[in-house]
Amino acid sequence: MKFHRIGAIATRMYYLYSGSPTRIMPLFGWVAIDIVLWGFITRYLNSVSGSGFNFTATLLGGVLMWDFFQRVMQGVTMAFFEDVWSRNFLNVFASPLQIWEYVCGLVLASVATSSVGLITMLILASLIFGLSFLSLGWMLVVFLLVLFVFGIALGITATALVLRLGPAAEWLIWPIPAMLSPFVGVFYPLSTLPVWMRLISRILPASYVFEGLRAIVLGHTFDVATLFWERL
């Protein structure tokens, strides 16, 4: 594996984005809309519920983390689709570039694009809606790492699916986060799901993140190993 080849893939994406404002805007535009929309929804729920439950920390925090997961996954797939749309694979694979070097280049591009979205969401959630992540402590890093690895894995799987089935399979990729969201409990505890859906949620790493987020916000003791065995 040659690191300069991995850097070449990432550099190509840098020049592609830096020369196209229409590609830069979606990096932080959509996530900003999500944070602002859900931020005002949670503020409204806090004002009318009267229960003292912190909807901002649970719902807005869940939206932020789920959007981060989507940015990571789409960072890989979008970098791949740029080669599909421009019919650049002949140039790529005519070079000495290896498959793993190409994949690592896609991952590096995803790190850059998802970081832009994450920073935007953290700034908006903190400054406008007062969402503090200090209460999560070091678990915030763990949660984001789990979602990052899960997003990268799904992004690579999605690119493999398109390579196997052809460019028309692109439309099977975009709905994946939406189809997974009911099973991971972004907005509600997994205990509200029917049994067959909870069985699926057990194998999705993201479900443990959102269960842990709710446990910490509610002041409950959270232990990953205990949660895993309880759900088995």
Side-chain angles (χ1 to χ4, degrees), residues 17-98:
Y17 277 82
S18 62
S20 176
T22 57
R23 288 185 173 91
I24 296 177
M25 286 297 296
L27 295 181
F28 55 87
W30 291 117
V31 295
I33 292 174
D34 276 348
I35 292 299
V36 171
L37 177 63
W38 280 98
F40 286 118
I41 290 175
T42 57
R43 180 175 291 180
Y44 169 73
L45 292 174
N46 283 335
S47 65
V48 300
S49 66
S51 62
F53 184 79
N54 190 352
F55 288 95
T56 300
T58 52
L59 292 182
L60 187 58
V63 169
L64 188 150
M65 290 192 176
W66 189 245
D67 272 357
F68 172 70
F69 159 76
Q70 293 184 75
R71 295 305 111 190
V72 172
M73 176 186 169
Q74 292 177 3
V76 175
T77 55
M78 284 299 296
F80 169 76
F81 285 145
E82 290 289 353
D83 286 324
V84 173
W85 296 330
S86 62
R87 302 182 184 275
N88 190 46
F89 281 116
L90 181 62
N91 299 321
V92 170
F93 292 109
S95 70
L97 188 71
Q98 298 179 1

Side-chain angles (χ1 to χ4, degrees), residues 202-218:
R202 291 176 182 174
I203 63 175
L204 298 176
S207 65
Y208 296 90
V209 170
F210 294 105
E211 285 289 278
L213 174 63
R214 271 185 291 272
I216 293 176
V217 169
L218 295 175

Side-chain angles (χ1 to χ4, degrees), residues 113-131:
T113 54
S114 60
S115 297
V116 173
L118 178 62
I119 293 172
T120 302
M121 290 186 291
L122 290 175
I123 292 175
L124 290 176
S126 300
L127 294 182
I128 300 179
F129 303 105
L131 180 61

